[in-house]
Amino acid sequence: MKKINGVYRNQQMHWVGDGFPVKNLFSYDRLGQMISPFLLLDYAAPYTFSATQEQRGVGSHPHRGFETVTIAYQGEVEHKDSHGGGGVIKAGDVQWMTAGAGLVHQEFHSSAYAQRGGVFEMVQLWVNLPAKDKMTTPRYQALNATDIAVHYFDDQGSQLRVIAGEYQHYKGVAATFSPINVWDVTMQKGVVQHFEVPAQHNTIVVVLHGNIQVNTTHEIKDHSIVLFAKDGETEIVIEATEAAKFLVLTGEALNEPIEGYGPFVMNNQAEIMTAFADFNQGKFGQIAAEIM
């Protein structure tokens, strides 16, 4: 079994805009190359919003040099960007946005969800782009729940959704720039599964809800991550000690410098300065206004 290098838990919540109460479970400024090619993961744990006519979320802001992956569990988010991407993601859907050379986007609760209110729960993952692809043309991938391959462990609700990469013979529909796996797993209490991951990948298990036992030795609580060693081993054993929901993330490390500032992640400070200059000069474009 793969050696566990560390377990980290965060119970502190902060707001992103006025629509996303999140807990940051990992970020590159603390863990660096140990999590490459992943950069950051925010978990919006279940939170009940009252019905409103107001617009809740995050207004227009830029990105360059990486991708954002939003996994919707409950609630709805409407996305628009300056490259023409956009749409509403609902429970079970995934939004994969490649900022690449740069764009401006906004993320708000959908008007339908805002007007009815209810529980909101989502994950946003940042995936780094290789240096050769950082200035790629932006793109938007809307992954509907019905398009995501599902492997069922039992008929009681234990399952694995392959968002990116592959699991056994199931393949994810997301197109990626480097080899990664994003598996969205739900397991009922008492279920035990053996996961095979690529030996050369960095591997992270992100526990969103419930408790699990990893490799028969480590009890992991919700809102935690488990980092594994690249030790040539490929097996991870997970038991749900209570009903649990978690992500398994694996990826081939880029082994390139990481220089980030706010909404930009590049390879050096000069590229960060260029990103700010390009944004200030309007090179990231504008979000098209709605025609009434």
Side-chain angles (χ1 to χ4, degrees), residues 35-54:
I35 59 172
S36 178
F38 306 106
L39 292 168
L40 173 151
L41 186 142
D42 281 341
Y43 176 43
Y47 186 96
T48 301
F49 284 93
S50 58
T52 183
Q53 296 295 318
E54 297 179 359

Side-chain angles (χ1 to χ4, degrees), residues 232-246:
E233 298 293 329
T234 62
E235 184 183 52
I236 298 170
V237 180
I238 296 180
E239 176 183 358
T241 52
E242 59 183 58
K245 178 165 58 185
F246 57 93

Side-chain angles (χ1 to χ4, degrees), residues 7-10 25 205-207 220-226:
V7 177
Y8 306 89
R9 191 180 192 210
N10 182 24
L25 300 189
V205 169
V206 183
V207 183
I220 312 297
K221 298 181 181 296
D222 60 359
H223 309 154
S224 298
I225 69 165
V226 185

